[in-house]
Amino acid sequence: MKKETFEIKKEFLLNGQPFKIYSGAVHYFRIAPSEWRDTLEKLKAAGLNTVETYIPWNVHEPQEGQFVFEDRYDIGKFVKLAQSIGLYVILRPSPYICAEWEFGGLPAWLLRYPDMVVRSNTPRFMEKVANYYEALFKVLVPLQITHGGPVLMMQVENEYGSFGNDKAYLRHIKSLMETNGVDVPLFTADGSWQQALKAGSLIEDDVFVTANFGSKSRENLAELRQFMLMHHKNWPLMCMEFWDGWFNRWQEEIVTRSADSFQTDLAELVKEQASFNLYMFRGGTNFGFFNGCSSRQNVDYPQITSYDYDAVLHEDGRPSEKYRKLQTILNVKASTLKSIDLGTYSQPNLVNRVHLVDVLDQVGEYKESSSPASFKFGSGYGYMFYQTRVVGDNQMEKLQLLDVADRADIYIDHELVASQYQKTLGQPIEASLTPDSLVQILVENAGRVNYGTRLLSPSEQKGIRTGMTVDRHLHFGWEQWAIDLTRLGDLDWQTSANLNYGPTLSRFVFDVDRVHATYLDCSQLGKGMVLLNGINLGHYWQAGPTQALYIPKDFLKLGKNELIVFETTERDVKQVSFTNRQEVRINA
């Protein structure tokens, strides 16, 4: 294929000619591969010429030294598909991505190192980045426009000005990229205020500077222009993230942005002759354990499984009202779009159920320790089940968990005595203790923080970090199981129940004679996760605001399908059903 050229001068120059970048964000890791083409074709039909995506480290190196670049995480295939459709590509392969993604894309296994300081120019962190980059850029380098691919430019770091000002770190990342073969223009993206731009950019090293915002386009572009002029740069203006919607958290109302507001502010940006990247063009889904977490005043607020984002395309690929608004802004004639194949299936049959306490050794990695183990043990994601024996005097005693995250369900002698979450975490519990009381605690990692300085907080080390006091003394002698939901394929569903209490695993089966996308209605469930044919669909919670889990057709198969509900409360899971009604996603 003929090589093209892309330069950043007073304007963007594509093959020597002025070029405006009209881009949309599509995260290949948030939508199924079968949906990539339709999404990219709709992106082009909307009048955009470029697609942008983050690249999350934690999906490509899930275990240290084990790299994954195929199937749902085949970034090379995604980029080549975009090129075949006639789109250019912007890649953001920085170690940290934010993106409302678990730990901002950083792998949980980094936290096993006691000297780890993420996003810093420290030997341990940079060693791990270098190992990852060596594998990653073998995939990305051939995709650059300088090598006949569609990639115009790549990001050094993301919103670093909202985290730190270590220019030695930024330069080290830049050097690693170039050492591994990156030769397209590099850029940084930060908030549009002067302090963020100053701290997070490498403008003094001629690294292109962009800003992120979603409103007040003229004012934000003026700030960006001022910053450039202060450094004697006459570069084109670009909003790398024009926020057309927003993300959502559990127990809060769905956040939306009106299509009219979107049209007004984007039209102003275009009028100012700026380039842009819509964040998001299509949102997608935080499958598995990969939802991120916000934080306010040291309280964590995990984000929901749906990453619909109220974007131009909805979670399932349907166009929102903003799609036509976008075409209007870009003077694109409306066209007939391919419809989404969305439907329902017959109600699954409940065939087996077991209690977690009866299958711990089958679904968990076991460890004994003096003090309770944190999530450094196990995968670093999901759930940890703790167990210990406490000697009491047949009277009321006070127990207290010290430094625990994120949610704890506490059982004493097979009875649920407390569920602690957010501001109630670590509150003292009074309970009657026998001379041989059994204390069991299910701790959930609900998602690590994805933005700001709290990335360095001890709270990102999930589980029980300090321990548990009985009366006033620390209690020692613990057993724990790091729950591994990938082991459910080998579970003995005939395991007999010793006592009927605590979380359950319920197995349903159903037949499929035609594969299509659907939603699982979770409105009758409590709190937990669902696996379909071994694929983790993500978290559900009756607290809302969503009450359904999106299922792309890729996760289904003709014939018999298996669905497993891990219900962490004591709710009796008797039935589940599918729906194609979008409104089920949001509580009325």
Side-chain angles (χ1 to χ4, degrees):
M1 185 171 292
K2 181 182 177 182
K3 292 183 182 179
E4 298 183 277
T5 61
F6 177 75
E7 301 171 276
I8 303 177
K9 302 291 186 180
K10 183 178 178 181
E11 299 181 84
F12 293 125
L13 298 178
L14 182 65
N15 302 319
Q17 298 300 312
F19 180 67
K20 285 286 188 295
I21 297 176
Y22 292 156
S23 175
V26 176
H27 295 162
Y28 62 97
F29 49 92
R30 275 185 161 126
I31 64 176
S34 71
E35 300 172 340
W36 291 351
R37 176 175 289 278
D38 181 68
T39 302
L40 294 173
E41 287 177 345
K42 286 176 178 171
L43 184 148
K44 186 177 182 182
L48 302 178
N49 54 36
T50 304
V51 61
E52 173 272 333
T53 184
Y54 281 119
I55 299 176
W57 183 359
N58 52 14
V59 305
H60 290 298
E61 193 178 4
Q63 300 296 326
E64 185 172 5
Q66 298 179 9
F67 299 100
V68 178
F69 294 105
E70 57 268 350
D71 301 325
R72 290 161 58 195
Y73 304 134
D74 194 338
I75 175 61
K77 183 177 181 180
F78 178 80
V79 171
K80 291 173 185 176
L81 177 62
Q83 183 177 27
S84 72
I85 292 171
L87 294 168
Y88 294 99
V89 178
I90 296 172
L91 294 181
R92 302 171 82 177
S94 45
Y96 161 84
I97 64 170
C98 185
E100 292 73 61
W101 194 251
E102 218 276 346
F103 207 21
L106 298 165
W109 54 259
L110 291 173
L111 297 173
R112 294 175 183 166
Y113 292 93
D115 59 346
M116 181 59 65
V117 183
V118 301
R119 302 185 80 188
S120 71
N121 194 36
T122 50
R124 184 69 70 185
F125 182 65
M126 295 310 301
E127 171 199 352
K128 304 309 175 187
V129 174
N131 293 340
Y132 166 55
Y133 272 12
E134 184 179 0
L136 175 65
F137 286 108
K138 288 178 182 176
V139 178
L140 301 187
V141 163
L143 304 173
Q144 299 176 106
I145 196 168
T146 48
H147 294 245
V151 175
L152 301 177
M153 54 183 177
M154 296 196 206
Q155 177 176 264
V156 175
E157 240 278 4
N158 184 61
E159 296 182 331
Y160 189 71
S162 298
F163 178 84
N165 64 353
D166 185 355
K167 297 304 176 86
Y169 163 67
L170 294 177
R171 290 188 177 103
H172 199 161
I173 294 294
K174 174 178 179 287
S175 176
L176 283 176
M177 295 178 72
E178 292 169 341
T179 298
N180 281 283
V182 176
D183 55 12
V184 293
L186 301 176
F187 69 92
T188 56
D190 283 285
S192 59
W193 62 98
Q194 297 300 311
Q195 280 283 14
L197 292 167
K198 184 190 304 180
S201 72
L202 281 177
I203 193 168
E204 57 271 29
D205 294 23
D206 293 325
V207 173
F208 183 59
V209 179
T210 68
N212 298 340
F213 55 85
S215 61
K216 298 181 179 178
S217 298
R218 186 178 296 107
E219 293 93 327
N220 282 300
L221 289 173
E223 288 288 324
L224 180 58
R225 183 183 291 109
Q226 178 185 341
F227 181 73
M228 289 180 178
L229 292 177
M230 286 170 55
H231 291 82
H232 312 292
K233 301 296 182 185
N234 191 15
W235 284 335
L237 299 176
M238 180 165 186
C239 178
M240 187 53 69
E241 291 185 13
F242 182 84
W243 304 315
D244 51 28
W246 205 243
F247 57 89
N248 296 284
R249 308 175 185 92
W250 294 112
Q251 298 180 298
E252 298 181 7
E253 294 295 320
I254 289 286
V255 180
T256 60
R257 177 177 186 173
S258 74
D260 288 341
S261 165
F262 162 75
Q263 182 178 22
T264 298
D265 288 321
L266 183 60
E268 184 177 90
L269 195 153
V270 172
K271 184 179 179 181
E272 291 292 313
Q273 297 295 306
S275 291
F276 65 81
N277 174 54
L278 297 178
Y279 192 95
M280 300 288 296
F281 180 75
R282 175 176 176 177
T285 310
N286 298 318
F287 296 116
F289 300 115
F290 286 122
N291 64 283
C293 178
S294 304
S295 183
R296 295 193 295 269
Q297 298 179 338
N298 294 330
V299 176
D300 289 345
Y301 297 87
Q303 289 134 20
I304 66 175
T305 301
S306 171
Y307 199 68
D308 181 89
Y309 208 83
D310 192 31
V312 180
L313 296 188
H314 285 297
E315 180 178 16
D316 55 26
R318 293 177 307 109
S320 71
E321 186 182 352
K322 293 169 185 173
Y323 191 93
R324 182 60 194 130
K325 298 287 189 182
L326 177 59
Q327 289 181 315
T328 299
I329 294 167
L330 299 181
N331 295 314
V332 175
K333 184 179 179 181
S335 56
T336 302
L337 300 177
K338 182 181 177 182
S339 61
I340 300 298
D341 190 8
L342 189 70
T344 64
Y345 293 101
S346 60
Q347 184 168 308
N349 296 314
L350 175 62
V351 291
N352 303 102
R353 177 186 296 160
V354 294
H355 284 81
L356 178 64
V357 292
D358 295 318
V359 294
L360 285 169
D361 289 326
Q362 296 183 48
V363 300
E365 181 182 347
Y366 176 75
K367 180 179 182 179
E368 292 183 27
S369 58
S370 179
S371 298
S374 71
F375 274 59
K376 288 182 180 179
F377 164 58
S379 69
Y381 303 104
Y383 304 85
M384 189 80 72
F385 191 88
Y386 298 87
Q387 181 171 288
T388 189
R389 292 281 180 177
V390 176
V391 177
D393 294 319
N394 291 314
Q395 62 182 18
M396 299 299 288
E397 294 279 6
K398 183 183 292 183
L399 287 76
Q400 187 172 10
L401 299 178
L402 303 179
D403 301 318
V404 59
D406 290 307
R407 177 184 167 96
D409 294 322
I410 304 163
Y411 295 81
I412 298 179
D413 295 326
H414 314 130
E415 295 289 337
L416 179 67
V417 298
S419 291
Q420 298 187 341
Y421 179 62
Q422 291 180 332
K423 294 182 180 180
T424 65
L425 277 170
Q427 288 185 352
I429 301 164
E430 290 202 354
S432 178
L433 299 179
T434 70
D436 188 31
S437 277
L438 178 66
V439 177
Q440 297 169 307
I441 308 163
L442 179 70
V443 175
E444 175 187 358
N445 168 8
R448 291 182 179 86
V449 166
N450 56 259
Y451 177 81
T453 56
R454 197 166 165 82
L455 287 166
L456 300 181
S457 171
S459 65
E460 301 318 289
Q461 190 59 259
K462 303 299 185 180
I464 303 174
R465 295 188 299 278
T466 299
M468 181 183 77
T469 57
V470 181
D471 185 39
R472 298 184 181 183
H473 62 266
L474 278 167
H475 177 76
F476 294 94
W478 290 84
E479 300 175 284
Q480 48 261 311
W481 291 262
I483 305 304
D484 184 355
L485 297 181
T486 66
R487 294 188 179 189
L488 296 185
D490 299 322
L491 182 62
D492 180 4
W493 290 97
Q494 304 307 315
T495 303
S496 59
N498 295 318
L499 291 167
N500 294 316
Y501 75 98
T504 55
L505 291 153
S506 300
R507 178 173 174 260
F508 297 82
V509 296
F510 61 100
D511 290 324
V512 168
D513 56 13
R514 188 178 72 83
V515 173
H516 54 70
T518 189
Y519 284 86
L520 182 72
D521 187 340
C522 299
S523 59
Q524 302 306 308
L525 305 179
K527 190 178 195 304
M529 306 194 83
V530 177
L531 286 88
L532 175 62
N533 297 324
I535 300 171
N536 194 330
L537 301 180
H539 297 268
Y540 65 84
W541 192 6
Q542 194 179 52
T546 54
Q547 295 286 359
L549 292 171
Y550 178 62
I551 301 174
K553 70 178 184 179
D554 305 49
F555 296 178
L556 294 143
K557 58 185 179 182
L558 294 174
K560 183 179 178 181
N561 288 255
E562 178 186 70
L563 191 147
I564 297 174
V565 177
F566 178 41
E567 174 64 51
T568 63
T569 76
E570 296 193 308
R571 180 179 289 263
D572 190 9
V573 179
K574 294 182 178 179
Q575 66 180 40
V576 293
S577 59
F578 299 101
T579 180
N580 61 359
R581 293 185 298 116
Q582 280 297 110
E583 59 267 28
V584 173
R585 292 178 47 258
I586 303 174
N587 279 334

